[in-house]
Amino acid sequence: MPTSPQRSARRKDALSKERIVATAIEILDAEGEAALTFRALSTRLATGAGAIYWHVANKDELLAATTNDVITRAMKNASVDGGPGAAIRAAALAAFDAIDAHPWAGTQLVREPWQPAIRHILEAVGTHLDGLGVPKHAQFNASTTLLTYILGTAGQYAAGMRFMHQQTDRVEALTSVAQGWSDDGDVTPFVREMAAQLPEHDDREQFIAGVEMILTGIAAIS
Amino acid sequence: MPTSPQRSARRKDALSKERIVATAIEILDAEGEAALTFRALSTRLATGAGAIYWHVANKDELLAATTNDVITRAMKNASVDGGPGAAIRAAALAAFDAIDAHPWAGTQLVREPWQPAIRHILEAVGTHLDGLGVPKHAQFNASTTLLTYILGTAGQYAAGMRFMHQQTDRVEALTSVAQGWSDDGDVTPFVREMAAQLPEHDDREQFIAGVEMILTGIAAIS
DNA sequence: ACCTGAACACCGTTCAAGT
DNA sequence: ACCTGAACACCGTTCAAGT
């Protein structure tokens, strides 16, 4: 029996939670949420499906770990220069960019809002409220409103990615959505106007605009 | 063989999409998202699993139909009295209350943001922006920011409901989440303060506070 | 036209057995 | 201590066969 080609590749290093999480992220990034199964993962790791369970409790824990990994790294790199307002904007944008790069993390953030990754985002946007002059009693609502807005964006982003995964073009995909909105029997006037703007809008600009509105609202409290 | 007790109950009327959707909503409300399977649904409808596929294309369509049903009814009942500001608040609260009553709809709204139910919410909050004096060019960002915030709330609500489904007490559940936040090795100061407020906070008040902040931000544009 | 229910392909998870 | 992989319970969906 000849030496099989993948023999040298496997068992390079032992299985570990880090290696499992890293491989899971690779699959999620490259092939999307639906592609991450324990079978696919164990094949890629050249091991049995059950082996993974020695390192992670279940799929939920695995997904929380991947999300935590990606979000933690992103929040750590967010700039805190330029005053409290700038720091909050930077934190929100860091979260946005992480989700833009890893849309599957958006699904997971919304799915389990008590996971560590959420706390990193909350901390990053919340710490600077003091500096902004927001009174203590208003900081809970102020920070969770920002967080909720970020989570809403995360969910839509992930949904869009699932929808587009087979699609060629972004504008084309959004146009077909807008088309669907307009073709329906019960189109309402405001939705029709918005549908027209849907294909060409910029997600990042839209996100920033929302953050600015909320920051204006927060400023009005203090 | 004696007449089985459920015999008179079944086949009362023929299968229809309406009846399937209504039964699905019953299951979702009573037993949660995980309990809605085609097997459970077909058992409840006293039919074969495949029969449902004659009336709905697949599970996604079924879930979109249930969500649409529940949200459409809620938005229809939202008051439009008291000026544009009050109408927007009423629309947002109508969405909130619908999700509060049917948390599974929150999961579905976030999962497919292009579905009809989303358009109803967007229309309800968007039509009154003209009356608020928001310039046309700013209405896209203004309305989608509100929508995104509502979706973020929807997702968290649904997640909380999945988490609590076996739990006795709401305060107890939130306390255990806050506990988990505080016990962790890397607790950060702001998150610790928020954790302390988590168990006793009121979801509806929190939601309204967020809507007010965004409305303040929107008002600043005009 | 509408319904039946066995069958298919595929999951996450478990666990006796190996090293 | 760590890994293997068959087996289990359970999905959504299909489809030949019935009425």
Side-chain angles (χ1 to χ4, degrees):
Chain A
M1 195 153 68
T3 313
S4 65
Q6 66 268 42
R7 184 146 141 259
S8 60
R10 60 137 88 177
R11 254 329 69 89
K12 238 182 193 164
D13 32 20
L15 214 51
S16 67
K17 185 165 177 181
E18 290 74 45
R19 215 158 75 83
I20 292 169
V21 168
T23 308
I25 291 174
E26 279 175 30
I27 294 175
L28 289 164
D29 282 344
E31 301 170 62
E33 300 172 33
L36 183 67
T37 66
F38 276 80
R39 279 163 183 79
L41 189 54
S42 60
T43 301
R44 192 108 149 204
L45 288 164
T47 184
I52 297 167
Y53 282 89
W54 207 94
H55 299 273
V56 298
N58 50 42
K59 197 173 183 183
D60 279 345
E61 192 194 297
L62 176 61
L63 286 170
T66 58
T67 306
N68 187 44
D69 193 85
V70 155
I71 297 294
T72 304
R73 211 176 8 246
M75 300 318 289
K76 209 164 277 169
N77 292 333
S79 162
V80 289
D81 300 337
I88 293 178
R89 286 174 180 86
L93 276 178
F96 178 89
D97 289 335
I99 292 156
D100 182 33
H102 313 281
W104 49 267
T107 304
Q108 197 49 28
L109 288 172
V110 177
R111 192 172 205 81
E112 297 193 342
W114 48 83
Q115 65 185 302
I118 292 283
R119 282 146 47 186
H120 292 128
I121 300 174
L122 185 62
E123 182 73 26
V125 300
T127 4
H128 302 100
L129 290 175
D130 260 340
L132 222 56
V134 179
K136 285 283 180 201
H137 69 86
Q139 292 189 6
F140 184 84
N141 285 342
S143 62
T144 56
T145 296
L146 274 166
L147 179 65
T148 297
Y149 176 71
I150 291 169
L151 288 184
T153 302
Q156 287 178 81
Y157 232 88
M161 213 53 187
R162 278 194 302 270
F163 183 73
M164 295 235 308
H165 208 255
Q166 313 281 48
Q167 214 90 3
T168 355
D169 187 53
R170 181 199 129 90
V171 174
E172 198 177 308
L174 285 174
T175 303
S176 84
V177 169
Q179 200 71 265
W181 283 18
S182 303
D183 286 354
D184 213 334
D186 60 324
V187 223
T188 39
F190 184 76
V191 167
R192 170 173 282 127
E193 286 176 48
M194 294 305 105
Q197 297 178 53
L198 196 61
E200 299 294 344
H201 88 282
D202 181 289
D203 284 327
R204 207 165 188 269
E205 278 178 28
Q206 183 187 14
F207 176 75
I208 293 172
V211 172
E212 293 305 329
M213 286 179 212
I214 296 172
L215 284 176
T216 304
I218 290 175
I221 305 170
S222 44
Chain B
M1 197 154 69
T3 312
S4 66
Q6 66 268 41
R7 185 146 140 258
S8 60
R10 60 136 91 178
R11 258 323 74 88
K12 237 182 194 167
D13 33 18
L15 215 51
S16 65
K17 186 167 178 181
E18 290 75 44
R19 215 158 75 85
I20 291 169
V21 169
T23 308
I25 291 175
E26 280 175 29
I27 294 174
L28 289 165
D29 282 344
E31 301 169 61
E33 300 172 32
L36 183 67
T37 65
F38 276 80
R39 279 164 182 79
L41 189 55
S42 61
T43 300
R44 191 108 149 205
L45 288 164
T47 184
I52 297 166
Y53 283 89
W54 207 93
H55 298 275
V56 298
N58 49 42
K59 197 174 183 182
D60 279 346
E61 192 194 296
L62 175 61
L63 285 171
T66 57
T67 305
N68 186 44
D69 194 84
V70 155
I71 297 293
T72 304
R73 212 178 4 248
M75 300 318 288
K76 209 165 276 170
N77 292 335
S79 163
V80 290
D81 299 337
I88 293 178
R89 285 175 181 86
L93 275 179
F96 178 90
D97 289 335
I99 292 156
D100 182 35
H102 313 280
W104 49 267
T107 304
Q108 197 49 29
L109 288 171
V110 177
R111 192 173 204 82
E112 297 193 342
W114 47 83
Q115 65 186 303
I118 293 282
R119 282 146 48 187
H120 292 129
I121 300 174
L122 186 61
E123 182 73 27
V125 300
T127 5
H128 303 101
L129 291 175
D130 260 341
L132 222 56
V134 179
K136 285 284 179 200
H137 70 86
Q139 294 190 4
F140 184 85
N141 285 342
S143 61
T144 57
T145 295
L146 275 166
L147 179 64
T148 297
Y149 176 71
I150 292 169
L151 288 184
T153 302
Q156 287 178 82
Y157 231 88
M161 213 54 188
R162 279 193 302 268
F163 183 73
M164 295 235 308
H165 208 255
Q166 312 281 50
Q167 213 90 3
T168 354
D169 187 53
R170 182 199 129 91
V171 174
E172 199 178 306
L174 286 174
T175 303
S176 83
V177 169
Q179 201 72 265
W181 283 17
S182 303
D183 287 353
D184 213 334
D186 60 324
V187 223
T188 40
F190 184 77
V191 166
R192 169 173 284 126
E193 286 177 49
M194 294 305 105
Q197 297 179 52
L198 197 60
E200 299 293 344
H201 88 283
D202 183 288
D203 284 327
R204 204 164 190 269
E205 277 176 29
Q206 183 187 14
F207 176 75
I208 293 172
V211 171
E212 292 306 328
M213 287 179 211
I214 296 171
L215 284 177
T216 303
I218 290 175
I221 306 169
S222 44

